[in-house]
Amino acid sequence: MKAVRFHQYGGPEVLAIEDIAKPAPGPGQVRIAVKAAGVNPIDWKLRAGYMHAMMPIAMPAGSGFDAAGIVDAVGEGVSGVAVGDAVFGKGIDTMAEYAVLQEWAAKPQGLSFEEAAGYAVAVETATRIIAEVGVKPGETLLVSGAAGGVGSAVIQLAKAAGIRTIGTASAAKHDYLRSLGATPTTYGPGLADRVAALAPQGVQAALDIAGSGVIPELVAITGDASKVLSISDLSAPQHGAKTSFEPMDAALASKALAGAASLFNAGAFQLPVEQTFPLDRIAAAHELSAQGHVTGRLVITLN
């Protein structure tokens, strides 16, 4: 099969498409013929070596964690899914014609493979960080950098749980945030005043999605560093805030994916695809993701 690989850390130019053997599903896993695969910031951060201390990888390495496709092999102990089923989920090295998933859910009939391909990492991350920051129904959550995939998922999952969200983004993306259910505001100087005007009763928790150096401001806005969490700023603990990088276990993640599918069927969840790329343009997709201005998801299409 064809798969994206790189043999050394570096820029997008180190990515290559190579012919390798198909992976075999292990116990509790399924293999899919990949229809589409989502691009996440972790993909280019790993490729560039930014995560080497935290997540060292053996070379040559593949790329990608999100995918959607058709099950073509089922590992030992797997039930509730069969060859021929359409699924979406999370695995490793998903930028390939075939990939193994350890977390998955059935793809709703009305959900395209392209959109479904971008769900797994965003939904798992959003579900986990909402729980870890301890925000409760009826409270208000501030989301810094809300227009990307994880932020978009946070807004909708929070809304479904009865949590109000205020999301920061450029003015051009405010209508998008409103469409998801958030109250938008701009980032930058004066954020605390703008948030205070939008939430006179205060903000009970804050999430930093973009990693733009706002942790001290988020701590000041919430008044409690323990109610601030970042998935992008490694310096957050220096300010008393939390970080979250450890994924949920596979069973809980699969349950979260099934929940997102149910919300999609109810018309209460979407992760729009900003742009699709063929596999041979994976470097361009990495470059666009690294610019940090994506609304929704970037997706690689296959087959």
Side-chain angles (χ1 to χ4, degrees):
M1 69 171 189
K2 295 188 182 301
V4 172
R5 306 263 276 178
F6 58 100
H7 293 253
Q8 63 186 45
Y9 293 125
E13 70 279 357
V14 303
L15 296 170
I17 298 175
E18 300 178 352
D19 287 311
I20 64 172
K22 292 180 185 178
Q29 299 177 331
V30 299
R31 185 177 68 197
I32 62 169
V34 179
K35 295 290 188 181
V39 178
N40 292 285
I42 188 67
D43 298 343
W44 55 263
K45 290 178 181 179
L46 284 171
R47 182 216 71 227
Y50 297 155
M51 306 293 289
H52 176 67
M54 182 179 298
M55 298 174 64
I57 53 178
M59 300 292 179
S63 185
F65 294 93
D66 281 341
I70 305 296
V71 175
D72 89 318
V74 176
E76 181 182 350
V78 172
S79 60
V81 66
V83 171
D85 288 351
V87 300
F88 66 98
K90 184 179 177 184
I92 56 171
D93 302 344
T94 57
M95 297 294 173
E97 292 180 317
Y98 292 85
V100 168
L101 304 181
Q102 67 264 17
E103 304 159 11
W104 66 86
K107 184 186 75 66
Q109 187 171 0
L111 179 63
S112 70
F113 282 105
E114 290 79 9
E115 183 175 341
Y119 273 34
V121 168
V123 168
E124 185 277 325
T125 304
T127 301
R128 166 169 40 94
I129 61 180
I130 289 171
E132 289 181 357
V133 82
V135 63
K136 300 178 178 64
E139 295 184 335
T140 298
L141 173 67
L142 175 60
V143 184
S144 178
V150 174
S152 298
V154 164
I155 290 168
Q156 294 170 95
L157 295 178
K159 181 180 179 181
I163 298 163
R164 180 194 179 201
T165 56
I166 297 173
T168 71
S170 63
K173 298 179 180 180
H174 284 190
D175 284 345
Y176 170 72
L177 294 186
R178 288 189 190 96
S179 75
L180 300 182
T183 300
T185 190
T186 53
Y187 44 76
L191 177 63
D193 291 338
R194 292 192 297 277
V195 170
L198 295 171
Q201 304 304 313
V203 168
Q204 285 70 54
L207 297 173
D208 168 38
I209 309 298
S212 54
V214 298
I215 298 298
E217 199 163 12
L218 299 183
V219 170
I221 289 171
T222 61
D224 183 352
S226 71
K227 303 295 287 186
V228 176
L229 182 150
S230 178
I231 60 169
S232 300
D233 190 340
L234 295 175
S235 73
Q238 298 174 20
H239 306 282
K242 306 174 184 177
T243 56
S244 181
F245 300 106
E246 186 68 30
M248 297 186 293
D249 70 41
L252 288 176
S254 294
K255 183 178 179 180
L257 298 184
S262 294
L263 287 175
F264 172 84
N265 283 330
F269 193 89
Q270 59 172 319
L271 288 181
V273 177
E274 177 170 303
Q275 192 170 343
T276 62
F277 300 81
L279 189 63
D280 61 7
R281 294 200 63 225
I282 181 65
H286 273 217
E287 288 182 1
L288 184 57
S289 176
Q291 291 173 13
H293 302 299
V294 175
T295 301
R297 307 294 280 119
L298 301 177
V299 172
I300 301 297
T301 56
L302 299 95
N303 298 324

